[in-house]
Amino acid sequence: MGHILLAARAKVNLTLDILGRRPDGYHEIESLMQSVDLADTVRISHGGPGIEILSDSPDVPADSTNLAAKAALALATSCGARLGARIQIRKRIPVAAGLAGGSADAAATLLGLNELWGLGLTTGQLVEIGARVGADVPFCLTGGTAVARGKGELIEQLPPLEGVWFVIVVPRIKVSTADVYRQFDDLPTTRRSSTARATDSIWAGDIEGLAKALGNSLEAVTARRNPEIARIKEILLARGALGSVMSGSGPAVVGLVRSRDSALRICKEISSSQIAGAFATGARVFVCSTATAGVRVEERECAGRGEELAWWVR
Ligand code: ATP
């Protein structure tokens, strides 16, 4: 095989409960996660020596600190392989938004290289390696609808969530995940758990119940410094979303709706300059459906050098 092309999908946290701090410094979480059809494209071909990263986004590092490079190195190390690769990333998932774009690229890299290098590792083995790269990588490898526990590495798959669409609003504010967790630790503990109720609603196929159960322990922290978060939620709910919640450490805010038409209508309305100006100039708005997997292989091909170069301009 010359190259493999993968869709690396974003995730949203429909719930995120922080249960405590672990002795290893990580937080113990319980989170209902959902893959959505907003995806980066990751193209992996033979290359080297070493791992080469190319990206069309100035916001992601093109060196060994890129999560895709870290995943490739972790995989090579765990297999004792001394193989190279060229990894090209076309970014569509907003960076540092709480949508796990970096983890999605890492997951796609693990799945893609497992095939390209002919390693034959199981998903379980890839999940173990992925957990060392980032807390969201295990979910991104399996994806769909699932509850993540531990620091994110213990995945319980749920039935696919159907008949639901999301409007995702990403305001142009910078949020550091590490800072948000640090500030959360300093807050007086008001532990709230949403995951059990949300999970029950999924098993019961009760979308209204799910919409009411959405919740994120980190939201109060990010919203305290960024009033846009509460404002976006208000706007989404006022325009007909059944429920709304911040994803991850933010700043992306998700509105849950029942149909594609409602999602498109809300997207159109809040993209109008008047309303966008009310919460943040330059906020990006996406309409997404649910996806049943985190990574999808789009193409496997024997490719020549000409085809490889042409990929960027396609
Ligand atoms: P987290 O909640 O895990 O911090 P996030 O979803 O909020 O993740 P990402 O888009 O994964 O945010 O980016 C987080 C950081 O990781 C950014 O500072 C970015 O520069 C860095 N990064 C490294 N590799 C990548 C990648 N392939 N795609 C996006 N960001 C990457």
Side-chain angles (χ1 to χ4, degrees):
M1 199 198 314
H3 78 255
I4 184 163
L5 199 67
L6 309 110
R9 293 190 178 111
K11 64 91 192 135
V12 291
N13 299 86
L14 297 177
T15 67
L16 177 52
D17 300 326
I18 315 269
L19 307 179
R21 194 97 194 256
R22 300 153 48 111
D24 62 7
Y26 282 93
H27 289 82
E28 188 77 20
I29 65 148
E30 191 168 48
S31 176
L32 173 60
M33 296 190 180
Q34 175 64 55
S35 302
V36 293
D37 69 345
L38 169 63
D40 292 343
T41 305
V42 178
R43 183 187 190 280
I44 311 177
S45 50
H46 294 286
I51 305 297
E52 186 186 1
I53 299 283
L54 299 162
S55 162
D56 63 351
S57 165
D59 299 329
V60 302
D63 57 19
S64 60
T65 62
N66 192 295
L67 286 169
K70 287 188 179 174
L73 289 172
L75 184 65
T77 308
S78 72
C79 297
R82 299 187 58 172
L83 296 160
R86 161 176 292 203
I87 302 169
Q88 292 166 274
I89 304 170
R90 207 179 254 167
K91 282 307 287 183
R92 288 193 197 85
I93 305 172
V95 176
L99 299 173
S103 301
D105 296 345
T109 299
L110 290 173
L111 278 166
L113 283 177
N114 189 37
E115 276 206 30
L116 201 74
W117 288 346
L119 301 174
L121 298 186
T122 62
T123 305
Q125 288 170 310
L126 295 178
V127 163
E128 225 170 87
I129 297 165
R132 282 183 247 137
V133 178
D136 285 338
V137 182
F139 171 77
C140 290
L141 273 163
T142 50
T145 309
V147 175
R149 298 191 175 84
K151 54 181 184 177
E153 80 285 14
L154 306 171
I155 306 292
E156 179 196 346
Q157 216 67 40
L158 297 183
L161 176 58
E162 284 161 356
V164 161
W165 287 75
F166 301 113
V167 180
I168 303 177
V169 183
V170 185
R172 282 207 191 276
I173 42 184
K174 283 209 184 325
V175 169
S176 149
T177 302
D179 283 353
V180 171
Y181 272 96
R182 224 172 287 126
Q183 289 165 42
F184 175 83
D185 289 335
D186 294 340
L187 282 180
T189 42
T190 46
R191 306 250 177 260
R192 240 191 95 218
S193 352
S194 318
T195 306
R197 203 148 64 91
T199 306
D200 288 348
S201 302
I202 295 222
W203 282 108
D206 174 8
I207 303 297
E208 309 264 335
L210 172 65
K212 287 197 190 98
L214 304 180
N216 181 340
S217 300
L218 297 177
E219 194 177 293
V221 179
T222 305
R224 207 164 44 151
R225 294 213 171 155
N226 303 283
E228 292 92 340
I229 304 291
R231 183 78 188 105
I232 294 168
K233 287 183 71 174
E234 262 169 40
I235 291 172
L236 285 168
L237 294 170
R239 307 241 150 211
L242 294 181
S244 179
V245 68
M246 187 182 83
S247 182
S249 52
V253 176
V254 181
L256 183 151
V257 295
R258 287 306 302 255
S259 74
R260 183 167 182 267
D261 283 351
S262 315
L264 289 172
R265 176 187 51 77
I266 296 175
C267 176
K268 220 164 136 190
E269 287 175 11
I270 65 178
S271 299
S272 74
S273 54
Q274 215 184 347
I275 298 171
F279 54 79
T281 317
R284 284 160 295 168
V285 188
F286 302 85
V287 167
C288 296
S289 63
T290 56
T292 52
V295 179
R296 189 181 66 200
V297 177
E298 309 244 283
E299 189 177 290
R300 296 175 175 90
E301 243 178 51
C302 296
R305 176 88 180 134
E307 200 278 340
E308 182 177 301
L309 295 174
W311 184 72
W312 288 106
V313 289
R314 234 195 259 162

